[in-house]
Amino acid sequence: MHKMRLLTRRPRPAALLAAGLATAGLGALATFGSFYDGQNAGVTFGTPGCSVGMEWRGAPGVFGSCTGTDPDTKPAPTERR
């Protein structure tokens, strides 16, 4: 009785690790990513205080911002005496 011959080779452990890391990385980027459309269409990744992005309309290019502050927060009220 003959054994069936596989037409493909077994994947190497390094290839499986690379595929797993790439999938995890893309999943993390999708979680923290944001696409936007309009005059300056593009995508940003990161938190509001520190993000990187790329625009492909309007002013194409790559940009980054790490101010450490959230631009959507309101300033703290000042005390009056």
Side-chain angles (χ1 to χ4, degrees), residues 1-21:
M1 192 173 248
H2 292 287
K3 216 177 195 184
M4 290 288 291
R5 186 174 152 206
L6 293 175
L7 298 177
T8 60
R9 293 186 286 168
R10 290 186 195 179
R12 295 182 180 183
L16 291 174
L17 178 64
L21 289 175

